[in-house]
Amino acid sequence: STFVAYLKFTMPDNTGTTGEEATADNDNAVRSIYTSILYHSNYGKSCAGKTEEETRDMKSFFDACIQFELAQMGRRKEKKKKKGRKMELCKLYETAIGFYANDGG
């Protein structure tokens, strides 16, 4: 789907060093994308009414978001930021579970 491709395009590929500020801006861009889809739109609320392809695309989307946050946790050394990333990761897992649990049936 389009939003999965856009999210992956925005994610860092970890092949070069871009500097702290550029990395932080990119991280914020990735979070902004998935936050908009998962928490600020009806599309990410439930799999009810979605095709099988759409639910597979959402699984790929959730997987990409979770992998991104796991990678960020490994990169961060500051305890305060690590705690925030853990909370974000938990929120992603809860959202994914809620998406598939709310199938409208």
Side-chain angles (χ1 to χ4, degrees), residues 40-98:
H40 302 295
S41 76
N42 288 330
Y43 193 83
K45 301 279 186 230
S46 170
C47 66
K50 298 204 177 26
T51 66
E52 190 174 325
E53 182 179 0
E54 289 173 316
T55 56
R56 274 195 311 268
D57 287 343
M58 282 302 291
K59 181 191 180 307
S60 295
F61 188 75
F62 282 119
D63 288 345
C65 295
I66 290 168
Q67 288 304 315
F68 171 77
E69 290 300 343
L70 285 171
Q72 301 313 301
M73 283 179 55
R75 200 177 79 193
R76 304 277 188 222
K77 301 288 187 226
E78 299 170 37
K79 198 170 196 169
K80 187 176 182 180
K81 286 186 179 182
K82 219 171 196 177
K83 184 177 180 181
R85 294 301 110 217
K86 283 183 182 179
M87 290 174 56
E88 186 59 43
L89 191 58
C90 287
K91 188 175 178 180
L92 279 169
Y93 280 120
E94 290 171 358
T95 303
I97 292 166

Side-chain angles (χ1 to χ4, degrees), residues 10 17-18 24 28 33 37 67-68 72 93-94 97 99 102:
T10 308
T17 55
T18 57
N28 290 336
I33 293 166
I37 293 167
Q67 288 304 315
F68 171 77
Q72 301 313 301
Y93 280 120
E94 290 171 358
I97 292 166
F99 177 82
N102 295 321

